[in-house]
Amino acid sequence: MRKLENSELERKTVTAFKEAEKTPIIIILDDIRSLNNIGSVFRTADAFLVEKIYLCGITAFPPNKEIHKTALGATETVTWEHHNDVLEIISNLKKENIGVYAIEQVENSTFLQDFSIEKNKKYALVFGNEVYGVNQKAIEICDGTIEIPQLGTKHSLNIAVSAGIVVWDLFQKIKY
């Protein structure tokens, strides 16, 4: 086995990325404090051709040196918008018949491995603050909640890790 060189990876150019068919996933980051988390989510979104990221509330947005440090250019490829009000974004996406799901531990949540997708449907995933999680009002207007099963003592994951896990799982379900 030989590690591939960067030149062998056949990476898309920015133009090719912009023109590529996107995975029907939208990421909503609400009140995310860590600039490193934001940049990491941009990289995940780039890796899986996510359609768009909404940066809401206090979530910082590009251009930002600290976001760029972990995004490594993904802020130039992934479409994004900043909005103050996450509730407005969720409501607008639902009006477009996009399934909106909070990633959170709540009563009657659906475990990620049990979450079924509908073919030809677009999904928006809401990730909340590192300490407080997804805002309760946002949870109440979402179509449902998805929970990542956790068996250890810490029952929480870093936002960037959570986004990577959930986006990968939905990507597989959508593409394969």
Side-chain angles (χ1 to χ4, degrees):
M1 231 180 294
R2 176 185 65 81
K3 184 177 169 183
L4 295 175
E5 299 291 329
N6 280 344
S7 60
E8 297 174 281
L9 295 177
E10 298 180 24
R11 296 183 186 205
K12 289 180 176 18
T13 63
V14 171
T15 302
F17 183 96
K18 297 272 188 197
E19 294 171 353
E21 181 180 350
K22 301 299 183 283
T23 305
I25 296 173
I26 294 167
I27 296 172
I28 302 169
L29 299 181
D30 186 36
D31 288 339
I32 305 301
R33 298 174 309 157
S34 166
L35 302 173
N36 290 328
N37 279 335
I38 298 163
S40 293
V41 171
F42 265 96
R43 275 179 67 188
T44 296
D46 178 279
F48 296 107
L49 284 170
V50 164
E51 186 173 306
K52 189 172 197 171
I53 297 177
Y54 285 100
L55 306 164
C56 299
I58 66 164
T59 306
F61 52 90
N64 183 297
K65 187 172 103 177
E66 292 300 312
I67 293 173
H68 180 71
K69 209 184 288 186
T70 49
L72 294 178
T75 57
E76 304 302 318
T77 55
V78 178
T79 301
W80 62 272
E81 285 183 36
H82 179 263
H83 289 271
N84 289 324
D85 188 0
V86 71
L87 301 177
E88 183 181 326
I89 294 300
I90 293 169
S91 296
N92 289 342
L93 293 173
K94 287 179 67 170
K95 287 176 189 170
E96 295 177 32
N97 199 32
I98 295 169
V100 183
Y101 292 85
I103 310 306
E104 189 58 88
Q105 298 165 326
V106 302
E107 296 172 334
N108 301 312
S109 61
T110 301
F111 281 120
L112 181 58
Q113 70 270 21
D114 299 326
F115 183 75
S116 298
I117 62 148
E118 294 176 41
K119 292 291 181 196
N120 302 314
K121 185 162 179 84
K122 196 178 293 186
Y123 292 91
L125 308 169
V126 183
F127 297 89
N129 180 272
E130 293 92 338
V131 174
Y132 304 109
V134 177
N135 174 313
Q136 182 62 42
K137 290 180 181 178
I139 290 169
E140 291 169 4
I141 65 170
C142 284
D143 294 309
T145 55
I146 300 170
E147 182 175 342
I148 301 169
Q150 297 169 59
L151 306 175
T153 61
K154 295 300 172 210
H155 294 289
S156 70
L157 293 167
N158 177 284
I159 178 68
V161 172
S162 294
I165 290 169
V166 176
V167 169
W168 167 243
D169 185 81
L170 263 63
F171 176 81
Q172 288 185 95
K173 290 172 179 172
I174 291 166
K175 296 291 184 180
Y176 307 108

